[in-house]
Amino acid sequence: MTVEKFDPQQTTTLRVAKEEISKHHNADAPVLTGTEAKIGFVSLGCPKNLVDSERILTQLRTEGYDVVSTYHDSDLVIVNTCGFIDSAVQESLDTIGEALKENGKVIVTGCLGVKEDEIREVHPNVLAITGPHAYETVVEQVHDHLPKPQHNPFQQLIPDHGVKLTPRHYAYLKISEGCNHRCTFCIIPSMRGDLDSRPIGDVLDEAKRLKDAGVQELLVISQDTSAYGVDVKHQTGFWDGMPVKTNMVALCEKLGEMGIWVRLHYVYPYPSVDKVIPLMAEGKILPYLDIPLQHASPRILKLMKRPAAAERTLERIKAWREICPELIIRSTFIVGFPGETEEDFQTLLDFLEEAQLDRVGCFKYSDVEGATANDLPDPVSEEEKQSRFERFMEVQARISAQKLQDKIGLEYQVLIDEVTTEGAVGRCYADAPEIDGKVYLTDEFDVAPGDKIWAQIVHADEHDMWAVKVDDEDDEGEDNAEATM
Ligand code: SF4
């Protein structure tokens, strides 16, 4: 998990929950009304929280509850909160307050739920509170305040893959809960507990159901994807009648056989990651790694207690690129961590120049209530943090812009996300949804969300690219397919 993963724009509002459910169900489903049990749902925070929301909504829909899009229409509102950084806590508290004011019956769940006292101090009237991934308890709390509908009009309408809150063509695949690390700036382990890997058979079953439902891209998420299976000693599970080890490499091999895009998020540069790079070079999974490095100075990494702090990251990245030259690396960094000297910061800038990462997010350090880093000496002044942030962004903006310029003239497969009045908008393998750039196909209307087409890049700025569609049969494109997915 990285600080970047809290983005208020990713908030799934009441309206979004209803709309996404309607999209997934509308295709063949008759419009049904009449149930007396209507739920409003607001999901805040990161994709992991969104997956929790999907599970709760799936269960409620299975039991016959309707999901509605306004506070006024709801009999009860569930707020799935985020508590990662202070602004996330505030947004969660504000949202609970809004739901109480507009509706009055509110159940709270999610990361902030572990701080029940803090919530009750501000909002004493919430009906019930739970922490993250407490799906069954939330559903029981709903039963207590809004009895299950007798007649279930939705029984036939729940798709095999359950309720999804992302567009039809991509989905988050959560492989584990919790985290065994104790990064000093992070309170996730205190909210979500230690690593708890899902059985590999369950993960692969879910992936297959999503693929069968039309999903074109799976985004593998967890707090530390490279640690998958450590808690169960990488025990052998079963899928499709065959033994499969509970580890990241085996998971990637199996997902790679499904014939859809597979993108890895929150991976740490451990030696075990070396084994997934050949799968990327062979085109089995996308050559894309989201590695939240957070810093490059060994001293600061130690103060942060970062996983893989002792790894030789630059050497590792170079070796990966030799095996898979098209590998895209996204990362996030924190500047102004307590004790960060000008020398540490320069080490970070030097690292950026040398590592030539493709996509980078940067955050100014701020205290998070309950984090041990709050007690570290030598805080960096706000003025200095801002100055370092600007210097960091200047260096990385130049690198990112050059990386995208280098793609002009090349052909890539583009997954279409939407078609607007100006044309189609999609992404190539280098871009994860929500966090990376987009590929704009101006005046291209003959496509639909979920289509994969070949396109040639004709223009780029430091974040996005513009492209024109090319013929699928084009030989050059076919050759490029090997290298660029
Ligand atoms: S403790 Fe570290 S690795 Fe674990 S979730 Fe927090 S930032 Fe991520």
Side-chain angles (χ1 to χ4, degrees):
M1 178 69 188
T2 71
V3 273
E4 184 189 24
K5 302 307 172 209
F6 169 69
D7 177 358
Q9 289 175 355
Q10 287 181 19
T11 297
T12 302
T13 61
L14 280 173
R15 189 181 48 74
V16 174
K18 172 68 179 169
E19 273 174 12
E20 289 303 332
I21 287 173
S22 303
K23 272 191 227 157
H24 289 281
H25 294 246
N26 263 357
D28 331 300
V31 177
L32 292 177
T33 54
T35 176
E36 289 308 308
K38 299 190 178 80
I39 304 273
F41 203 104
V42 185
S43 182
L44 305 169
C46 66
K48 278 152 280 203
N49 228 28
L50 194 71
V51 173
D52 290 355
S53 297
E54 290 173 346
R55 287 188 63 172
I56 296 167
L57 283 167
T58 298
Q59 185 56 33
L60 292 174
R61 286 283 283 189
T62 306
E63 295 182 357
Y65 291 89
D66 196 0
V67 177
V68 294
S69 60
T70 66
Y71 289 120
H72 179 73
D73 291 336
S74 313
D75 296 314
L76 181 154
V77 177
I78 300 172
V79 181
N80 190 2
T81 58
C82 175
F84 187 48
I85 55 176
D86 290 353
S87 58
V89 171
Q90 194 52 52
E91 195 202 18
S92 294
L93 290 173
D94 290 349
T95 306
I96 297 165
E98 181 182 278
L100 279 168
K101 183 164 161 264
E102 300 294 327
N103 182 279
K105 290 178 87 176
V106 178
I107 287 178
V108 175
T109 184
C111 286
L112 188 60
V114 294
K115 297 181 180 166
E116 177 160 1
D117 294 349
E118 206 173 297
I119 297 172
R120 291 223 177 264
E121 200 175 302
V122 187
H123 302 301
N125 295 332
V126 293
L127 298 176
I129 299 175
T130 49
H133 52 94
Y135 324 110
E136 289 87 4
T137 315
V138 174
V139 171
E140 280 164 21
Q141 289 168 345
V142 171
H143 295 163
D144 291 345
H145 296 282
L146 189 61
K148 263 197 245 185
Q150 302 265 311
H151 164 62
N152 181 355
F154 305 112
Q155 203 150 31
Q156 306 305 318
L157 306 180
I158 312 297
D160 285 348
H161 57 73
V163 169
K164 272 174 78 272
L165 296 174
T166 46
R168 279 178 98 108
H169 59 282
Y170 68 81
Y172 294 105
L173 183 67
K174 186 154 72 167
I175 59 172
S176 59
E177 294 286 356
C179 180
N180 283 348
H181 305 298
R182 295 294 181 262
C183 301
T184 52
F185 57 82
C186 178
I187 54 169
I188 295 273
S190 65
M191 294 191 289
R192 295 200 163 235
D194 283 340
L195 179 70
D196 181 10
S197 300
R198 292 178 62 198
I200 191 148
D202 290 4
V203 174
L204 291 168
D205 276 345
E206 184 181 342
K208 176 76 169 37
R209 281 197 301 273
L210 289 165
K211 184 213 148 157
D212 291 346
V215 164
Q216 296 288 336
E217 177 179 9
L218 286 173
L219 302 132
V220 176
I221 56 168
S222 65
Q223 305 300 148
D224 175 359
T225 294
S226 24
Y228 177 59
V230 165
D231 52 319
V232 292
K233 301 195 169 46
H234 301 300
Q235 73 186 22
T236 301
F238 285 88
W239 186 64
D240 218 10
M242 300 291 289
V244 195
K245 284 259 183 208
T246 310
N247 64 38
M248 182 178 65
V249 181
L251 176 70
C252 290
E253 279 168 357
K254 289 292 168 195
L255 292 176
E257 289 167 11
M258 293 192 184
I260 54 177
W261 282 8
V262 175
R263 193 183 293 281
L264 301 183
H265 288 281
Y266 321 133
V267 174
Y268 290 99
Y270 295 123
S272 60
V273 180
D274 296 354
K275 295 191 187 132
V276 300
I277 306 297
L279 297 175
M280 295 179 176
E282 289 164 28
K284 298 269 172 57
I285 62 172
L286 292 182
Y288 178 103
L289 279 176
D290 177 359
I291 312 175
L293 294 166
Q294 309 303 17
H295 215 284
S297 153
R299 204 179 67 83
I300 297 298
L301 287 169
K302 217 166 150 201
L303 285 174
M304 288 178 165
K305 292 209 178 134
R306 289 296 288 164
E311 296 294 337
R312 295 193 178 126
T313 307
L314 267 179
E315 280 172 34
R316 184 145 271 137
I317 289 173
K318 277 183 196 151
W320 290 344
R321 283 183 174 144
E322 268 166 36
I323 300 166
C324 183
E326 59 277 10
L327 177 65
I328 293 288
I329 300 179
R330 140 169 279 278
S331 191
T332 47
F333 294 89
I334 296 173
V335 295
F337 191 78
E340 183 192 62
T341 61
E342 177 59 27
E343 198 184 338
D344 293 317
F345 180 64
Q346 194 55 50
T347 304
L348 175 56
L349 293 186
D350 293 346
F351 175 87
L352 284 187
E353 294 283 6
E354 189 144 9
Q356 294 284 303
L357 305 176
D358 299 85
R359 299 282 188 186
V360 170
C362 179
F363 300 88
K364 286 175 275 177
Y365 172 81
S366 65
D367 280 353
V368 173
E369 204 191 318
T372 52
N374 303 355
D375 302 328
L376 288 172
D378 305 321
V380 176
S381 72
E382 289 306 316
E383 206 182 359
E384 189 57 40
K385 277 185 209 167
Q386 181 62 27
S387 154
R388 288 180 189 172
F389 174 80
E390 285 167 19
R391 288 162 65 197
F392 179 104
M393 291 313 283
E394 207 178 299
V395 171
Q396 186 56 39
R398 171 170 44 78
I399 294 169
S400 294
Q402 187 57 51
K403 289 256 169 187
L404 293 185
Q405 288 293 316
D406 293 346
K407 292 185 166 53
I408 293 177
L410 298 178
E411 293 175 10
Y412 294 96
Q413 207 171 31
V414 174
L415 177 59
I416 303 298
D417 282 326
E418 57 174 335
V419 182
T420 70
T421 50
E422 287 170 19
V425 187
R427 293 170 291 108
C428 71
Y429 82 97
D431 309 305
E434 309 283 350
I435 50 175
D436 292 331
K438 295 178 193 292
V439 179
Y440 292 96
L441 293 120
T442 311
D443 292 334
E444 181 59 61
F445 300 104
D446 196 17
V447 289
D451 286 354
K452 278 187 188 141
I453 60 162
W454 281 94
Q456 184 178 47
I457 307 299
V458 293
H459 176 70
D461 62 16
E462 66 193 44
H463 197 251
D464 301 309
M465 299 192 285
W466 282 257
V468 290
K469 191 175 169 194
V470 294
D471 193 349
D472 281 9
E473 307 320 284
D474 188 305
D475 281 348
E476 217 179 306
E478 290 284 318
D479 289 342
N480 226 359
E482 301 281 316
T484 55
M485 309 278 305

